[in-house]
Amino acid sequence: MEAAIAVFGEHGFRAATLEEVARRAGVSKGTVYLYFTSKEDLFRAMVEKKIVPLIEAGEASVRDHVGTSADLLHQLMCRLWERIARPDMVHLARVMQAELNHFPELKRLYFEQVIQRQRRLLRTIAERGVAAGEFRPEAITLVPMMVPSLILHLNQYRFLFGDLDRGLPTSDATRELVFSLVLDGIRTPSRVPRGKKG
Amino acid sequence: MEAAIAVFGEHGFRAATLEEVARRAGVSKGTVYLYFTSKEDLFRAMVEKKIVPLIEAGEASVRDHVGTSADLLHQLMCRLWERIARPDMVHLARVMQAELNHFPELKRLYFEQVIQRQRRLLRTIAERGVAAGEFRPEAITLVPMMVPSLILHLNQYRFLFGDLDRGLPTSDATRELVFSLVLDGIRTPSRVPRGKKG
Amino acid sequence: MEAAIAVFGEHGFRAATLEEVARRAGVSKGTVYLYFTSKEDLFRAMVEKKIVPLIEAGEASVRDHVGTSADLLHQLMCRLWERIARPDMVHLARVMQAELNHFPELKRLYFEQVIQRQRRLLRTIAERGVAAGEFRPEAITLVPMMVPSLILHLNQYRFLFGDLDRGLPTSDATRELVFSLVLDGIRTPSRVPRGKKG
Amino acid sequence: MEAAIAVFGEHGFRAATLEEVARRAGVSKGTVYLYFTSKEDLFRAMVEKKIVPLIEAGEASVRDHVGTSADLLHQLMCRLWERIARPDMVHLARVMQAELNHFPELKRLYFEQVIQRQRRLLRTIAERGVAAGEFRPEAITLVPMMVPSLILHLNQYRFLFGDLDRGLPTSDATRELVFSLVLDGIRTPSRVPRGKKG
DNA sequence: CATGAATGAGGTTTCATTCAT
DNA sequence: AATGAATGAAACCTCATTCAT
């Protein structure tokens, strides 16, 4: 039923009609009101349904990770990228950016349960890297701020202008570029001159 | 009259009513139709009015710049930031991301006249830096992709969650963080260990 | 529901308001749109609903008629008159004359399915009369052209100026006058001088 | 200025816009209101302007006519036909049929000054023909009723369906058919068998 | 005289929401 | 539990009419 999330994603909150939601869900318009008290309520429920998995995306792995912090960061970025680089998520992000200001509780929920947790997770990794002498101290500020921004926006860009922009790197290549940029920005300078690195 | 751009910025295209646009403009509903043939037309005109200045924002300065490429990049980023970090521009960017898919000509216009030009400008700077041995070759790919993304999204974040996120750095501080991240990611490794730099 | 045809008949297409149509139908404005996609669609549907019976008004009777062709013609004219001399039909004819040019498909439908069929029917009768030596050859041209014209226009006249024109003959008397005029115009001259006829 | 009568003719009263009237007249919308107090007033004025010539179309000729009454009738029918078989007149007739019920004074004016005079004129001719033994007494009823009906409606038919109806006789031929039909219907039977006539 | 910018009532159309079945 | 016909408020848009210039 709620799989008719697509409608909000395609048209946005205002332009989406319950008619279409109901049709795609294979039920009648009236039936929607048996489960949701209003269009806003449906929207809220839809967002929450998509957010919950984001919330639950495990923080555990960070705690007992072995290996370099760079590896750990890479691993997390890959997981985030994977989750966000899907049409429904990009759509959701777009709609949320457009509508969240009209749904204060939803906004707070999203901020506290998704954004903040994600940033905290990223900060934890950064802190560990700094503690290990792997990252410079700036990492603690940089990583939680830049990583989500880049991941989100580059994917939105791809979906919005992908048809017009010839020569856009693949999604995976883009992800690796982001990773290397961030890593360059935070890693402690090695003795070895960079030229030799690769 | 077009100062009623705010309405689209606040509500988006669908939710904005001509009634409110007219009221804020201090005219009657009918008057709007003397200048624009439809709501879509008004939207188009509004976007174009805001886009044209972006287009015209000079590319000349790049040509006859003296000083390091890093300085030049910093200078350009400051100008971009300045232009984007204003409420109306952030709103415009949000609405455009939400609606541009429904206005193909507008989308193309925006892409060709704003996005592509901006990227070309950034690439020119990157190329010059590479030629001068100041930047690594990756800069040519990295700069045009990451810089606009970061500038745009970090500002949108500030406007969307600024009220909830305690401890957000100031706008200028954020800008400098972006700059230093990018610079770290592209500059050729100097002999001098980084510790001495700052 | 379609009984609210009256509104178009009274005011014409443009002047008729859906508000009034809905009110007379005893439903709300929105309900009309459950059954018709637009005002034009409602108009089309209304016209077609009134036209279909005209189309179906049988041509069979002509085939197996016994008696003089004059009798047959009289009989057909009576049937046509009867059908047209009703307020709703006169109204419909008036509105159609006013609006048909804006509805090309409707115009073609009306022409092919009503006008042409009617003329063909009348011509068949005329031809039979000519073949039987009862009518002069001119009948074949005259009858299909003049009969519908007279029937339609005299009835429209009655409805438009009936209140002002004292001394208008009754509807039936008018019909008989038309019949006798037409008959005089087409019948082969009998040996018997006309004076004796009446 | 009032030559912008065409607009009412093309669109009807409701669909005609003062905007278009003004544009075609080469003046501004405001100017129209210097000469007419309202759209209705403009319509009234326009109708009256077209009606006055109809009224003035001489009755004198009838009084001092020499020749047969049939000739006189033919002459008058030709003049009527000529006047009506023009696009602007057909349009006017159509619009009037559609709108006259909403303009009672106009309707009365038209009826008394045009319709009745015309009928009186036709009756005078019929009476003279009867008195001269040329026409049968029925002519007095038939002529004023049938002649205007046929002239008006056949011309309207030509304008409405002329594009669809292949094989429509020319305007002049149609007029002569009408004349001969009417004449056949009213003339006293001659001794000479009809066969010899043509 | 003439203009044309401005108005706002009124019309068509959409759609979230309700409710009898 | 489910439906879908019905609603009516609200949106977009038109255009006859006014009025300052």
Side-chain angles (χ1 to χ4, degrees), chain C residues 14 27-31 34-35:
Chain C
R14 287 293 292 242
V27 299
S28 77
K29 249 185 314 178
T31 306
L34 295 178
Y35 300 95

Side-chain angles (χ1 to χ4, degrees), chain B residues 39-87:
Chain B
K39 193 185 179 184
E40 286 207 3
D41 187 47
L42 172 59
F43 181 66
R44 248 190 303 275
M46 177 275 268
V47 172
E48 279 167 23
K49 188 187 170 80
K50 296 301 270 188
I51 283 181
V52 170
L54 294 181
I55 294 173
E56 277 155 5
E59 286 134 340
S61 58
V62 175
R63 236 187 317 283
D64 25 80
H65 180 80
V66 294
T68 67
S69 292
D71 280 349
L72 180 54
L73 180 60
H74 185 255
Q75 191 181 311
L76 183 64
M77 276 181 60
C78 287
R79 275 222 307 277
L80 288 176
W81 191 276
E82 206 173 278
R83 229 182 283 129
I84 290 173
R86 283 161 37 204

Side-chain angles (χ1 to χ4, degrees), chain B:
Chain B
M1 210 87 57
E2 280 98 282
I5 281 158
V7 181
F8 281 113
E10 282 168 31
H11 304 293
F13 178 70
R14 286 296 291 241
T17 69
L18 286 192
E19 179 100 29
E20 191 178 353
V21 171
R23 198 179 54 249
R24 287 218 211 171
V27 298
S28 77
K29 248 185 313 177
T31 305
V32 176
Y33 283 86
L34 294 178
Y35 300 97
F36 309 98
T37 55
S38 69
K39 193 185 179 184
E40 286 207 3
D41 187 47
L42 172 59
F43 181 66
R44 248 190 303 275
M46 177 275 268
V47 172
E48 279 167 23
K49 188 187 170 80
K50 296 301 270 188
I51 283 181
V52 170
L54 294 181
I55 294 173
E56 277 155 5
E59 286 134 340
S61 58
V62 175
R63 236 187 317 283
D64 25 80
H65 180 80
V66 294
T68 67
S69 292
D71 280 349
L72 180 54
L73 180 60
H74 185 255
Q75 191 181 311
L76 183 64
M77 276 181 60
C78 287
R79 275 222 307 277
L80 288 176
W81 191 276
E82 206 173 278
R83 229 182 283 129
I84 290 173
R86 283 161 37 204
D88 56 345
M89 274 316 188
V90 174
H91 286 325
L92 181 65
R94 170 160 50 86
V95 174
M96 275 177 26
Q97 208 155 73
E99 308 289 348
L100 224 47
N101 259 329
H102 299 319
F103 296 86
E105 333 83 71
L106 214 55
K107 178 176 157 183
R108 175 171 293 274
L109 174 73
Y110 180 68
F111 178 70
E112 289 175 357
Q113 299 302 318
V114 179
I115 308 243
Q116 276 200 323
R117 284 211 191 181
Q118 212 171 63
R119 300 178 86 123
R120 225 174 288 136
L121 195 57
L122 286 162
R123 211 180 59 175
T124 304
I125 295 177
E127 285 168 346
R128 170 176 312 194
V130 171
E134 209 180 332
F135 299 156
R136 290 185 287 132
E138 291 93 317
I140 295 170
T141 314
L142 274 175
V143 169
M145 189 188 304
M146 306 297 175
V147 169
S149 238
L150 284 165
I151 294 182
L152 207 54
H153 194 265
L154 289 171
N155 275 297
Q156 286 185 347
Y157 180 88
R158 169 180 302 274
F159 274 84
L160 189 52
F161 294 117
D163 55 338
L164 296 177
D165 191 345
R166 314 274 115 234
L168 197 64
T170 67
S171 179
D172 286 356
T174 308
R175 189 193 63 218
E176 291 307 314
L177 281 169
V178 171
F179 178 65
S180 77
L181 172 70
V182 171
L183 205 60
D184 277 351
I186 62 176
R187 128 174 85 196
T188 44
S190 73
R191 241 85 313 193
V192 197
R194 260 211 193 87
K196 284 192 179 172
K197 183 199 76 180

Side-chain angles (χ1 to χ4, degrees), chain C residues 34-109:
Chain C
L34 295 178
Y35 300 95
F36 308 97
T37 56
S38 69
K39 192 185 180 185
E40 285 206 4
D41 188 48
L42 172 59
F43 181 67
R44 249 190 302 276
M46 176 274 267
V47 171
E48 278 167 23
K49 189 187 170 81
K50 296 301 270 189
I51 283 181
V52 169
L54 294 181
I55 294 173
E56 277 154 7
E59 286 135 339
S61 59
V62 176
R63 236 186 320 282
D64 26 82
H65 180 78
V66 294
T68 66
S69 292
D71 281 348
L72 179 55
L73 180 61
H74 185 255
Q75 191 181 310
L76 182 65
M77 275 182 60
C78 286
R79 274 223 307 278
L80 287 176
W81 190 278
E82 206 173 277
R83 229 183 283 127
I84 289 174
R86 283 162 36 205
D88 57 344
M89 274 315 188
V90 174
H91 285 324
L92 182 65
R94 171 159 49 87
V95 173
M96 274 177 27
Q97 209 154 72
E99 307 289 348
L100 225 47
N101 259 328
H102 299 318
F103 295 87
E105 335 81 72
L106 213 57
K107 177 177 156 183
R108 173 171 293 276
L109 173 73

Side-chain angles (χ1 to χ4, degrees), chain D residues 14 26-31 34-35:
Chain D
R14 286 296 292 238
V27 299
S28 77
K29 239 188 323 178
T31 306
L34 294 178
Y35 299 96

Side-chain angles (χ1 to χ4, degrees), chain A residues 126-188:
Chain A
E127 285 168 345
R128 171 175 311 193
V130 171
E134 209 179 334
F135 300 156
R136 290 184 287 130
E138 292 93 317
I140 297 171
T141 315
L142 274 175
V143 169
M145 189 189 305
M146 305 297 175
V147 169
S149 239
L150 284 165
I151 294 183
L152 206 55
H153 194 265
L154 288 170
N155 275 296
Q156 286 186 347
Y157 178 90
R158 169 180 302 274
F159 274 83
L160 190 51
F161 294 116
D163 54 340
L164 296 177
D165 192 345
R166 317 273 113 234
L168 198 63
T170 67
S171 179
D172 286 356
T174 307
R175 189 194 62 217
E176 291 307 313
L177 281 170
V178 171
F179 178 65
S180 78
L181 173 70
V182 170
L183 206 60
D184 276 352
I186 60 176
R187 131 173 86 195
T188 44

Side-chain angles (χ1 to χ4, degrees), chain C residues 13-34:
Chain C
F13 178 70
R14 287 293 292 242
T17 70
L18 287 191
E19 179 100 30
E20 191 178 353
V21 171
R23 196 178 57 246
R24 287 216 211 171
V27 299
S28 77
K29 249 185 314 178
T31 306
V32 176
Y33 282 86
L34 295 178

